[in-house]
Amino acid sequence: MLVLLKNLCFRQSIIPQGAHTSPPASTGVYAHHANHGSVTALPQIKNADDNWVSTTTSIDVEVGGIPSNPLTANPKASIMDSIRNAFSAVKNFHPTPRMISDAIIGLADGMTVPFALTAGLSTLGSTHIVVLGGVAELVAGMISMGVGGALGAKAESDGFQAKLADTTKLVLNHPAEAIALVHGVLRPFRFDPQQRNIVVEQLSRSSERMVDWLMRFHYQEKRPDPSRPLTCGITIGLGYAIGGLIPLIPYFCVRNDQILLALYISIGVMLVTLFLFGFFKTVLLAEKEQDKSTWNACVGGFWMLIVGGAAAAVAVGVVHGINTA
């Protein structure tokens, strides 16, 4: 059993030698030396079953096509290579527009709903109540928004698969209708009939090619990323948590009897944050260059400021009215 565990841990390969009591002279395991190209026989040991076992492992690190000896490998160099690869992956990461959109959705809800809630609870006069209520809403909202985003992305993927199945049935069972759809796509581009027939002939040679062409150009459907539901849920949930934590921070930093001070600080921080969020949201999501002007970005910031401030004002009024009734 110990030998088996050792072989599994070190991935050693057992070379059966029958009833040999000594390692054979003509066979064995050899190591190639990258520096001078020589071949050297490596030592072998006996295990508990009286079989000869190679002292080399099956973990091969190829350099120039020649496996290197792991016994002489530098573990610190491998760790540093892994760290460099991780930093390189982070440096080369570029968020997709959909990921930016998901983050903005989470941040927008996170900065308005918890801010309005904490402002409303501040009328009760206790930072302890504000913190407990804010944290509870923050956790519940983060989970709710994340699950909602994941389910929405999953529904989008299911819709694509359903459309793909219907298109495949159309191409296989009703090829004339599929050809008519191809002509319908090409006709607005003023291709003459002979050119359209050439395209149809090429597409008709493969049903898979025809299905892919119709999905892309007729239905304008793009195959969703399989990891889209998970990515969408995590991005929206984290965005909500980060946005909702901002108005709560002042309440963690004051005493229980300094509720008004925390409220004023929270309002000031959120006014600046909402404006900056609306400003950069406009710049990032604008499709045209003229929409990315400073004026349009400021308008977007003021709109975000108005929406968040109105939500907070309504929450304060409702809680204050119920508390004094």
Side-chain angles (χ1 to χ4, degrees), residues 114-138 247-252 256 259-260 262-263 266:
F115 174 49
L117 176 66
T118 53
L121 292 178
S122 298
T123 59
L124 299 178
S126 173
T127 58
H128 185 67
I129 295 177
V130 174
V131 169
L132 290 180
V135 171
E137 195 283 331
L138 188 63
L248 276 176
I249 293 177
Y251 297 95
F252 288 102
N256 190 50
I259 184 68
L260 290 180
L263 175 61
S266 178

Side-chain angles (χ1 to χ4, degrees), residues 168-184:
T168 303
K169 292 179 181 179
L170 176 68
V171 171
L172 295 178
N173 301 329
H174 306 282
E177 296 182 14
I179 291 175
L181 293 178
V182 175
H183 282 288

Side-chain angles (χ1 to χ4, degrees), residues 19 43 170 196 234 250 272 277 308:
L170 176 68
R196 294 202 303 266
I234 293 176
V272 176
F277 175 74

